[in-house]
């Protein structure tokens, strides 16, 4: 490409980026003459240069825009959002034209008569009707290829700081950075530039990279020399080496500076993005940017630009509410998105916060279960903070509707990956109704990081300082000591249990030393995961130059790179993310949910279920479907209290009733008592057992129907006669109203009847399915109406449908209506509705949409009776 | 960068011409067997080095070492060929360039540079052990011994790394 043209493209794209920013500012502050002049001059320059280079189409468009701006400047036209939109539209067209110019080196054919006519009409003052026509279109202009302000162009050039003004080639170019210059009449500008231009040069990025690499090597060599010097007293080299030390540091700093750019460069597009979004979404958003002058490495800047844009878009789209909602919530009509950047201990912290509605934990939970990332049991064990982390999972979006802006299910995971790729971390705080705050912490530069050097099994490793929270020295005699649960080390740290990872074991460097030994623990934080790494020794921190590992070692995810230390030896750099993944700290929830899913899927095909085997009240093993059990706990018998003569225990801030299978059993005074915790939404119940035996996968074939209350019957589980307990019986003991009145008995002998059970609560599905199975029905479950209808499409045949009414998505009424639709496979199938609260009006409505019968959800007896009745009446009529 | 180009080009030229008649190899010995590597791939010959072990690496990788500020991965050729570990004695290494990365190949002994005529070249005997055949690029018949040409690229194709 022609040098002149290349120069023009680089410069013009810079100018355009600036115009974007300044126009938005102007819109908010229409009477600022400085801004106006600056924009006017930039557009004028573009026009002038285009004329000079023989680009008539661009020139004409810029000229028309300049006319309007001229009228603004002279006060002949008011600055209105419509007018600004029109200018922005022409700027966008210019961008598109420039992109074509860059790709083909020729101006795109065609003309912009329509736009120019609009601009001229605006300039002449009869803008109103024209503007109303054009206004709705302009918000979509972001699709046009946009010139990033500070990305190197295809030739790898990047403006060095002062070089925004470096444009010796085009004599007519005034400095775009106009705020620093006095406003001058246009005629004078052409000749005033050479002095400014000669103060800066454009340097290719490669050259700077190269310099940086060499400086890094010099730093390493310096470190090595200093290490040698430390061991030699009174050396003649001492003084010159000190000098070398200082010079090297200064050189390193200087070279780093050439790569540093203010973070504001990465933000320059954001005001425009937010403005367009707020128009599109009908929201009022104020974007505040603090610390735009904070500098960071160009390479880092490039890498965080897209994630930042995405996060701001997210805040605008999901975070900030529409004005009406805000007023209702007692907030100001205008929402605020705050970008704040600052230095903190060798890192840069970027905050993206908004005062919008915050993250809805309940929606995240629902979505996590729906998408199979976690089970409800998993979620019950998680803190809100851990649940929020789901938004960083691939394919996760809680946006109820997919907008053009976000909610496409790609995004936050990519943001997180990109930030972690450059050794950064993302943290998230959110209060529902108050807003969210993302904290991004990234290293100042990628080339040199500060790392903690540790030793394990005689080998040294570097751990990036950014992830290290603290160091703990554990020994048998100190306050901290390593404890073990089934050989898994943990540490009590400030009243919490910190999972520990033995570096020795993780890296397969041999077996752990005796636990009595002292150990150093490096406490690591990666995202929301905290864990400790056990090492043998901790040295000091060192500035290291990260070098990529050799391709044949790149598959080892525990290392993010390697480096050469001051003493010349090579050490591997541990990747805390890799360690966390390896030990399952991060993906534990995910994988257990996945396993669960797999298991459930399997359960569907071969009828197998996970069963928890335990012993209580006699030697025969008892079994309960594992999916019904929320948690296994051990409680201290001393903590058992009695309320109304029934044992209760304080559990998670509430009183939980304890129920024993053997009514006469008394809890012996001391020691711990294993219990099975069943919970459904708010309520929990503890079932006292003697011993937990095992978890097995097997099919429940209840062979003998039980005569005793509390048992469903006996079954052969892994070759042994096992009593399958009736959870419902014990739940009812704990809460009289859990199911309504209890009565046990054997039901229906007709095993041919196929029942489709639709209920969104896995708890009730798992509870009713075995019950119905025992009563002799063949049960198929679906957790929502949509899935159930899918079964219809697939041609499954059922004798009766039992469905919940309150379900997310399609409710029971709509589901029934869909089933009853004429010609449907199931249109004649009896439909029994379950509901926790049946009012006469509900019942009436139910009959209207085609419910055959209506049963209160917790009344099992009634359900079974109704089923029998319904099916026999069908038989009779058939 | 650009300064290096002409010299590289002139270096290459005679080699290309010579290839017709003979090629030059750096020879080395492992467990008494003589091997050769094309001289143009060889960057350096080293004595015993301080090597940092790399945990979880494939068994063939002995570790990493610092070669004048460059991190070089060391491959134990004995392990790669399925031979028993060296019993005592100092090892030597040949540093080879592969795809811009340096690898240090640990062998028992490094020999000399030999120019070998193409007429003495033969393909691998079909009966050769598979592990050896995989990394051998052919055999030269010397007067009183046989020289196996090591194919560096295939030597570096480690199972664990490939599988990942």
């Amino acid at each position: 490409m022609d040098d002149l043209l290349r120069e023009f493209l680089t410069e013009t794209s810079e100018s355009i980026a600036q115009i974007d920013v300044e126009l938005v500012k102007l819109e908010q502050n229409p009477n600022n003459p400085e801004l106006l002049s600056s924009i006017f001059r930039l557009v004028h320059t573009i026009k002038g240069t285009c004329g000079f280079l023989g680009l008539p189409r661009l020139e004409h468009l810029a000229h028309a825009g300049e006319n309007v701006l001229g009228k603004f400047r002279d006060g002949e036209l008011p600055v209105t959002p419509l007018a600004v939109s029109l200018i922005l539209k022409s700027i966008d067209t210019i961008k598109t034209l420039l992109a074509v110019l860059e790709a083909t080196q020729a101006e795109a054919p065609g003309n912009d008569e329509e736009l120019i006519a609009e601009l001229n009409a605006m300039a002449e003052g009869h803008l109103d009707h024209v503007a109303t026509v054009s206004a709705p279109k302009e918000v979509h202009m972001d699709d046009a290829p946009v010139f990033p302000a500070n990305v190197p162009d295809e030739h790898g050039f990047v403006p060095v700081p002062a070089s925004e003004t470096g444009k010796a080639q085009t004599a007519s170019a005034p400095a775009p950075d106009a705020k620093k210059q006095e406003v001058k009449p246009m005629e004078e500008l052409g000749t005033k530039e050479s002095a400014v231009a000669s103060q800066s040069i454009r340097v290719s990025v490669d050259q700077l990279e190269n310099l940086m690499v060499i400086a890094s090597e010099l730093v390493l060599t310096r470190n090595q020399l200093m290490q040698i010097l430390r061991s030699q007293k009174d050396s003649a080299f001492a003084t010159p080496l000190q000098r070398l030390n200082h010079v090297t540091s200064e050189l390193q700093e200087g070279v780093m500076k050439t790569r540093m750019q203010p973070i504001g460069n990465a933000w320059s597009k954001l005001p425009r993005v937010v403005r367009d979004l707020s128009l599109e979404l009908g929201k009022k958003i104020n974007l505040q940017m603090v610390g735009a002058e904070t500098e960071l490495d160009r390479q880092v800047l490039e890498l965080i630009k897209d994630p930042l844009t995405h996060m701001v878009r997210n805040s605008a789209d999901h975070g900030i509410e529409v004005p009406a909602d805000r007023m209702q919530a007692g907030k100001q009509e205008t929402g605020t998105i705050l970008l704040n950047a600052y230095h903190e201990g060798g890192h840069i912290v970027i905050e993206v916060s908004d005062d919008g509605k915050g993250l809805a934990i309940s929606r995240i939970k629902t979505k996590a279960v729906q998408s199979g990332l976690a089970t409800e049991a998993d979620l019950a064990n998680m803190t809100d903070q851990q649940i929020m982390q789901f938004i960083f999972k691939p394919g996760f979006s809680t946006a109820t509707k997919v907008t053009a802006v976000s909610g496409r299910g790609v995004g936050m995971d990519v943001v997180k990956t990109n930030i972690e790729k450059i050794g950064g971390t993302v943290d998230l705080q959110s209060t529902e109704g108050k807003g969210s705050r993302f904290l991004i912490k990234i290293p100042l530069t990628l080339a040199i990081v500060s790392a903690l050097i540790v030793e394990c099994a005689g080998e040294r490793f570097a751990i990036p300082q950014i992830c290290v929270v603290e160091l703990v020295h554990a020994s048998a005699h100190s306050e901290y000591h390593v404890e073990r649960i089934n050989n898994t080390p943990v540490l009590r740290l400030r009243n919490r249990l910190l999972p520990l990872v033995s570096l020795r074991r993780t890296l397969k460097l041999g077996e752990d030393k005796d636990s009595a030994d002292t150990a150093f623990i490096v406490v690591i934080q990666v995202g929301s995961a905290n864990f400790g790494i056990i090492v043998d020794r901790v040295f000091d921190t060192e500035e290291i130059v990260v070098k990529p590992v050799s391709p044949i070692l790149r598959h080892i995810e525990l290392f993010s790179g390697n480096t050469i230390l001051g003493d010349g030896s090579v050490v591997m750099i541990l990747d805390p993310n890799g360690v966390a993944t390896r030990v399952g700290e991060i993906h534990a929830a995910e994988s257990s949910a996945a396993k669960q899913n797999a298991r459930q899927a399997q359960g569907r095909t071969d009828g197998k279920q996970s069963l928890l085997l335990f012993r209580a009240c006699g030697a025969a093993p008892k079994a309960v479907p594992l999916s019904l059990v929320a948690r296994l706990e051990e409680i201290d018998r001393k903590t058992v209290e009695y309320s109304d003569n029934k044992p209760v225990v304080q559990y998670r801030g509430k009183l939980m009733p304890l129920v024993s299978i053997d009514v006469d059993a008394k809890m012996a005074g001391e020691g711990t008592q294993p219990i099975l915790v069943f919970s459904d939404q708010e309520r929990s119940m503890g079932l006292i057992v003697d011993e937990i035996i095992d978890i097995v996968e097997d099919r429940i074939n209840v062979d003998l129907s039980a005569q005793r209350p509390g048992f469903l019957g006996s079954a052969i589980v892994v070759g042994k006669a096992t009593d399958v307990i009736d959870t419902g019986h014990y739940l009812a003991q704990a809460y009289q109203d859990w199911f309504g009145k209890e009565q046990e008995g054997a039901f229906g002998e007709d095993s041919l009847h196929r029942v489709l059970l639709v209920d969104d609560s896995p708890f009730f599905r798992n509870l009713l399915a075995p019950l119905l199975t025992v009563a002799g029905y063949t049960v198929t479950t679906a957790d929502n109406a949509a899935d159930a209808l899918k079964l219809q499409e697939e041609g499954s045949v059922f004798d009766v449908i039992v469905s919940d009414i309150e379900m997310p998505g399609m409710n029971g009424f709509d589901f029934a209506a869909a089933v009853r639709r004429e010609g449907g496979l199931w249109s004649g199938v009896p439909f029994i509705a379950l509901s926790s609260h049946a009012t006469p009006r509900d019942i009436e409505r139910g009959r209207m949409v085609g419910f055959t019968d209506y049963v209160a959800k917790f009344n099992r007896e009634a359900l079974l009776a109704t089923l029998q009745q319904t099916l026999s009446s069908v038989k009779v009529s058939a | 960068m650009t300064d290096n180009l002409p010299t590289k080009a002139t270096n290459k030229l005679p080699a290309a011409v010579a290839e017709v008649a003979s090629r030059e190899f750096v020879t080395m010995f492992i467990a008494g067997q003589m091997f050769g590597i094309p001289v143009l791939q060889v960057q350096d010959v080293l004595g015993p080095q301080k090597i940092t072990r790399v945990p979880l690496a494939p068994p063939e990788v002995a570790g990493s070492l610092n070669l004048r500020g460059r991190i070089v991965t060391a491959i134990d050729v004995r392990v790669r060929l399925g031979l028993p570990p060296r019993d005592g004695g100092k090892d030597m290494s040949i540093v080879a360039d592969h795809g811009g990365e340096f690898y240090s190949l640990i062998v028992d002994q490094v020999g000399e540079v030999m120019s070998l005529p193409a007429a003495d070249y033969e393909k691998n005997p079909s009966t050769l052990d598979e592990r050896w055949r995989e990394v051998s690029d052919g055999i030269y018949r010397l007067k009183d011994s046989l020289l196996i040409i090591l194919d560096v690229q295939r030597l570096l194709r480690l199972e664990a790394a490939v599988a990942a």
Side-chain angles (χ1 to χ4, degrees), chain A residues 820-868:
Chain A
R820 288 283 173 261
R821 198 169 297 138
E822 227 162 296
L825 181 61
W826 295 348
S827 57
V829 178
F831 193 110
I832 297 174
L834 294 171
S835 182
S836 32
H837 38 78
T839 64
R841 219 178 113 245
D842 281 344
I843 293 174
E844 188 45 40
R845 188 177 166 202
R847 300 235 187 255
M848 297 270 289
V849 293
F851 289 171
T852 315
D853 213 329
Y854 212 114
V855 179
K857 194 168 183 175
F858 307 118
N859 195 339
R860 293 189 297 168
E861 190 195 352
L863 173 62
L864 291 168
T866 311
L867 270 176
Q868 243 174 349

Side-chain angles (χ1 to χ4, degrees), chain B residues 100-120:
Chain B
E101 291 279 331
F102 287 5
Y103 296 90
S104 169
L105 309 176
I106 304 175
V107 298
D108 295 356
Q109 173 107 46
V110 178
E112 54 192 327
V113 178
M114 271 188 188
S115 181
L116 299 175
D120 293 346

Side-chain angles (χ1 to χ4, degrees), chain A residues 39 99 126 129 155 235 272 284 302 322 337 376 386 423 437 495 549 551 595 637 707 751 754 821 843 863 866 878:
Chain A
I39 298 167
H126 27 82
H129 72 282
H155 319 286
S235 163
R272 173 73 192 278
K284 293 194 173 172
E302 283 312 316
V322 291
I337 299 177
E376 285 191 13
Q386 282 171 317
R437 182 158 161 262
N495 292 327
V549 292
K595 255 186 242 156
R637 289 202 181 101
Q707 305 302 316
S751 63
R754 290 149 298 183
R821 198 169 297 138
I843 293 174
L863 173 62
T866 311

Side-chain angles (χ1 to χ4, degrees), chain A residues 184-240:
Chain A
K184 293 187 182 112
M186 294 312 303
E187 301 76 45
E188 291 179 26
L189 281 167
T191 51
K192 293 266 176 184
E193 289 312 306
S194 54
V196 184
S198 62
Q199 282 174 12
S200 68
I201 49 166
R202 282 179 192 274
V203 182
S204 91
V205 176
D206 284 347
Q207 200 123 346
L208 287 178
E209 295 292 324
N210 202 17
L211 260 181
M212 186 70 201
V213 171
I214 297 171
S216 304
E217 295 298 332
L218 186 62
V219 169
L220 286 182
T221 319
R222 187 265 323 260
N223 290 353
Q224 243 165 300
L225 283 173
M226 297 309 288
Q227 187 118 1
I228 296 169
L229 183 68
R230 253 173 257 149
S231 61
Q232 293 181 344
K233 287 190 176 141
D234 306 321
S235 163
F237 292 115
T239 320

Side-chain angles (χ1 to χ4, degrees), chain B:
Chain B
M1 281 296 276
T2 43
D3 294 348
N4 289 342
L5 283 174
T7 34
K8 251 191 192 162
T10 45
N11 267 351
K12 252 184 189 156
L13 198 60
V17 173
E19 207 173 58
V20 187
S22 66
R23 289 171 72 190
E24 289 189 319
F25 294 94
V26 177
T27 64
M28 56 200 183
F29 297 89
I30 303 159
Q33 172 65 50
M34 188 192 272
F35 291 88
I37 287 182
V39 74
L40 285 175
Q41 281 188 25
V42 175
Q43 297 291 330
D44 224 314
V45 173
L46 306 171
Q49 296 286 316
K50 186 185 160 195
I51 291 178
T52 303
R53 278 200 288 162
V54 180
L56 308 177
E60 295 89 343
V61 175
S64 304
L65 58 102
N66 171 7
L67 177 67
R68 293 184 293 274
R70 247 186 117 136
I71 296 176
V72 175
T73 311
I75 308 286
D76 192 330
V77 184
R78 265 182 177 262
V79 180
R80 182 72 179 92
L81 294 175
L83 293 170
R86 197 169 297 107
D87 42 290
K90 287 181 177 175
D91 56 55
M92 288 182 84
S93 303
I94 287 186
V95 179
D97 176 2
H98 174 59
E101 291 279 331
F102 287 5
Y103 296 90
S104 169
L105 309 176
I106 304 175
V107 298
D108 295 356
Q109 173 107 46
V110 178
E112 54 192 327
V113 178
M114 271 188 188
S115 181
L116 299 175
D120 293 346
Y121 175 81
E122 277 196 34
K123 280 187 192 157
N124 288 330
S126 57
T127 50
L128 197 63
D129 180 271
E130 199 178 332
R131 234 184 144 128
W132 287 50
R133 200 166 51 208
E134 187 195 339
V135 298
S136 162
D137 203 17
I139 313 268
Y140 276 93
R141 296 184 309 270
L142 305 188
K143 205 193 251 168
D144 40 18
S145 63
L146 296 171
L147 181 144
I148 299 173
I149 306 302
L150 278 186
D151 182 320
V152 176
Q153 183 181 342
R154 276 187 270 158
L155 190 72
L156 294 175
R157 209 180 288 154
L158 308 180
E159 262 166 47
V162 171

Side-chain angles (χ1 to χ4, degrees), chain A residues 283-300:
Chain A
K283 298 178 180 178
K284 293 194 173 172
I285 305 173
N286 172 21
L287 178 69
Q288 279 180 21
M289 301 190 281
V290 181
E293 69 289 341
T294 315
E295 291 197 318
L296 78 169
D297 192 285
R298 205 208 95 242
Q299 201 184 348
V300 182

Side-chain angles (χ1 to χ4, degrees), chain A residues 459 547 550 555 558 568-570, chain B residues 50 52-53 56 66 69 73 164:
Chain A
E459 304 284 337
K547 294 172 183 246
S550 153
H555 63 285
L558 287 180
S569 53
V570 178
Chain B
K50 186 185 160 195
T52 303
R53 278 200 288 162
L56 308 177
N66 171 7
T73 311

Side-chain angles (χ1 to χ4, degrees), chain A residues 48-71:
Chain A
T49 332
C50 292
F52 178 69
L53 290 172
L55 303 167
R57 187 176 169 189
L58 277 167
E59 189 195 352
H60 288 143
L61 188 56
H63 177 76
E66 191 199 346
N67 276 346
V68 177
L69 287 167
K71 295 273 160 102

